[in-house]
Amino acid sequence: MVTSPKVMQLVESLLRIILTIVFFYAFKALFDVENDLLLAFFSVLCAFVLFKGLVLGFNRITAKK
């Protein structure tokens, strides 16, 4: 399956946005924090780390085959 780089960038951006939103509302439900900006910062940070970890893991799995 051949996909263009622009489509892959779009999919990566959508995944990052979805992960950020999921982390934001999960943190908002778990922690009683008044500052939503602080929650947004940690949500973006966690989504970035998780996404990069998933990409690295996927690349390692596919590179061995």
Side-chain angles (χ1 to χ4, degrees):
M1 182 170 93
V2 179
T3 57
S4 69
K6 292 197 181 248
V7 172
M8 293 306 293
Q9 287 177 345
L10 177 64
V11 170
E12 287 180 7
S13 295
L14 288 174
L15 281 174
R16 287 182 188 197
I17 290 168
I18 290 169
L19 281 173
T20 302
I21 291 170
V22 167
F23 274 115
F24 179 79
Y25 284 109
F27 289 157
K28 192 168 186 147
L30 291 174
F31 304 116
D32 186 28
V33 178
E34 297 288 328
N35 192 353
D36 283 345
L37 188 60
L38 187 64
L39 284 177
F41 172 74
F42 284 115
S43 299
V44 170
L45 182 66
C46 289
F48 175 77
V49 170
L50 180 67
F51 183 76
K52 286 298 181 181
L54 290 173
V55 168
L56 283 172
F58 180 76
N59 286 339
R60 284 187 180 178
I61 289 171
T62 57
K64 290 184 179 181
K65 290 184 179 180

